[in-house]
Amino acid sequence: MESKHVNQQIAAMRQSFFDEEVLDEFFSQLEQLEDQNNPNFVEEVFTMYFRDSTTLLETVEQAIVGANKVLNEINKTRQVLEKGNLEGTKAGIWEMRKKYGSLKAKLEPYFQLKQANSVPQEK
C-alpha cells in the first residue's frame, strides 16, 4: 500500500513540474528511453547536466566579473542583455543560477523517490 502512495506522490511531483513549466515534452521523450536495462536513464542525463552546467555557469560568471577581461564578451551579449551593461549581465547570470538551482532542487527529490520505489521490496 505504501508503494501506491509513493507512486501517487511521484506522479503528483512530476505533474507539478509540467504545470510550473519546469519541464516540457522533451522530458517525456527522455522518459520514453528508460527501460529495464537502463531504468534511471533520465536521472543519469540530469546528473550529467547538473555536473557539467555547474562548471559552465562558474566559468561564465568568472569571465564576467572582471570588466576589462570581458569587454569583448559584453559587446557580444549587448543584443541579448539590456544595453549590455555589466550589472545587467550579472543579473542575467544570477537569474540563470536561480533557475538552475530551482530545477535541481525540484528534480533531486523526485529522482530519489523514483529510484527508491524502483528497488525491489523484500517480502
Side-chain angles (χ1 to χ4, degrees):
M1 196 62 158
E2 185 178 321
S3 179
K4 182 178 179 181
H5 177 72
V6 172
N7 284 336
Q8 290 173 338
Q9 188 176 4
I10 290 169
M13 288 175 76
R14 182 184 182 279
Q15 186 59 49
S16 73
F17 299 150
F18 286 96
D19 293 345
E20 297 171 21
E21 297 181 356
V22 171
L23 298 176
D24 59 18
E25 71 276 358
F26 296 111
F27 185 81
S28 297
Q29 291 172 3
L30 283 175
E31 287 181 316
Q32 291 175 7
L33 298 174
E34 289 186 338
D35 59 21
Q36 289 181 345
N37 295 326
N38 200 356
N40 299 321
F41 177 74
V42 177
E43 180 181 3
E44 291 169 9
V45 168
F46 274 92
T47 298
M48 287 186 296
Y49 165 75
F50 291 138
R51 183 189 64 227
D52 296 345
S53 62
T54 299
T55 303
L56 179 61
L57 287 172
E58 289 171 359
T59 301
V60 169
E61 186 173 40
Q62 289 171 359
I64 291 176
V65 168
N68 292 331
K69 294 179 181 179
V70 296
L71 182 57
N72 291 333
E73 293 301 317
I74 290 173
N75 288 332
K76 290 178 187 177
T77 59
R78 186 169 298 187
Q79 296 173 0
V80 178
L81 299 169
E82 184 179 327
K83 297 182 183 178
N85 65 44
L86 184 58
E87 291 306 312
T89 303
K90 286 181 182 179
I93 289 174
W94 177 248
E95 189 63 28
M96 189 172 32
R97 280 187 165 278
K98 283 186 355 186
K99 289 184 187 261
Y100 165 84
S102 176
L103 175 64
K104 186 175 181 180
K106 289 178 180 190
L107 285 180
E108 284 179 338
Y110 171 77
F111 287 132
Q112 288 171 354
L113 271 174
K114 193 171 178 211
Q115 188 173 19
N117 194 44
S118 68
V119 174
Q121 307 264 330
E122 295 221 8
K123 294 182 182 181

